[in-house]
Amino acid sequence: MKQSRKTPEITEVYRLLEAEFGVVETPLTFTKPYELAIAVILSAQCTDERVNTVTPELFRTFPTLESFAKASLPLLEKKIFSTGFYKNKAKSIQGFARMVLDEFGGEIPKTMEEAIKLPGFGRKTANVVLAEIYGVVEGFVVDTHVKRLTKRLGFTKKTDPVQIEREMIKITPKEICRNLSLYLIFLGRKNCQARRTFCSTCPLSSLCPSFSE
């Protein structure tokens, strides 16, 4: 892909993506705050679609946070096996449930500083949960799609998600951080995939420096 255009304005990118995708919600399905947290833990190195096929049965088997805290690890591993890295994820989920119950009174903490202490929580997981559950925006969610698109759009040359997040926070108005990250994720799935791009139908084709005829 050729690099011939200058880096676009972040607000113009947001305007075009908002026109394309409108109101957006996390693609992970959940009914309780802790269910979202568990779904995000499961989404590491796994598609949201796969997670959404696993969680209905998982949440029926373990219907409360307490049941996850007391879960048999072999049974929990079996239920999440298809999401990959199931042993580590099972330990993280159980550790998450126990810490929320023991140290936070059964409620997911509302600050980044506290949230990232939870097992299975990095900044990405914490950002998703805080924004979706509490409307608290303390950062910018960087997944594989966001990592790829922010580079292609010229917003960053970094490869580390934490460094990318820092750079995106500097140039993105706080009130659009949550939606812009989701827009980039949806665009990455639809038009700007890792191995294939569909530039001719991309809503950012008029300004993207990586546009390919």
Side-chain angles (χ1 to χ4, degrees):
M1 289 178 288
K2 59 185 178 182
Q3 301 284 334
S4 58
R5 300 171 179 169
K6 66 179 182 179
T7 301
E9 292 292 331
I10 198 83
T11 51
E12 180 65 6
V13 168
Y14 181 82
R15 184 186 68 80
L16 292 171
L17 293 180
E18 183 180 36
E20 176 75 9
F21 296 111
V23 178
V24 284
E25 296 179 352
T26 176
L28 295 168
T29 56
F30 67 99
T31 59
K32 303 170 185 175
Y34 74 80
E35 290 182 351
L36 173 62
I38 290 171
V40 179
I41 291 172
L42 291 175
S43 72
Q45 303 298 311
C46 181
T47 65
D48 292 341
E49 291 79 8
R50 168 58 60 182
V51 173
N52 287 339
T53 66
V54 168
T55 50
E57 175 61 24
L58 178 68
F59 296 149
R60 282 193 293 269
T61 304
F62 304 103
T64 64
L65 193 59
E66 287 80 5
S67 63
F68 276 105
K70 298 175 182 178
S72 158
L73 276 179
L75 177 58
L76 182 52
E77 290 171 0
K78 181 179 178 181
K79 294 296 180 181
I80 66 173
F81 177 82
S82 65
T83 68
F85 303 97
Y86 62 96
K87 287 186 177 293
N88 286 338
K89 289 179 181 179
K91 291 178 182 177
S92 291
I93 290 169
Q94 187 172 75
F96 156 78
R98 288 176 175 176
M99 182 174 284
V100 169
L101 289 167
D102 294 344
E103 298 188 24
F104 297 103
E107 298 289 335
I108 297 174
K110 297 181 179 180
T111 67
M112 176 66 69
E113 182 180 6
E114 291 180 313
I116 59 175
K117 295 177 182 178
L118 295 167
F121 269 56
R123 287 192 62 89
K124 173 199 164 186
T125 301
N127 274 321
V128 172
V129 173
L130 291 175
E132 296 299 324
I133 300 302
Y134 299 123
V136 174
V137 177
E138 291 198 25
F140 196 97
V141 176
V142 178
D143 75 343
T144 56
H145 297 292
V146 174
K147 180 179 177 180
R148 181 173 68 254
L149 268 67
T150 51
K151 183 177 181 180
R152 288 180 178 174
L153 287 165
F155 293 138
T156 182
K157 294 181 179 179
K158 305 294 186 182
T159 57
D160 177 69
V162 174
Q163 293 179 324
I164 293 171
E165 181 186 6
R166 288 177 185 149
E167 295 203 341
M168 290 305 293
I169 289 172
K170 290 179 183 177
I171 63 173
T172 309
K174 188 173 183 179
E175 63 270 18
I176 67 171
C177 280
R178 181 259 186 190
N179 282 4
L180 180 59
S181 177
L182 283 172
Y183 288 150
L184 292 174
I185 291 170
F186 293 153
L187 186 68
R189 292 173 179 169
K190 181 182 178 183
N191 290 90
C192 203
Q193 300 167 9
R195 294 185 177 88
R196 188 178 181 188
T197 58
F198 301 89
C199 293
S200 62
T201 59
C202 178
L204 302 183
S205 60
S206 64
L207 49 72
C208 180
S210 297
F211 176 75
S212 178
E213 298 287 353

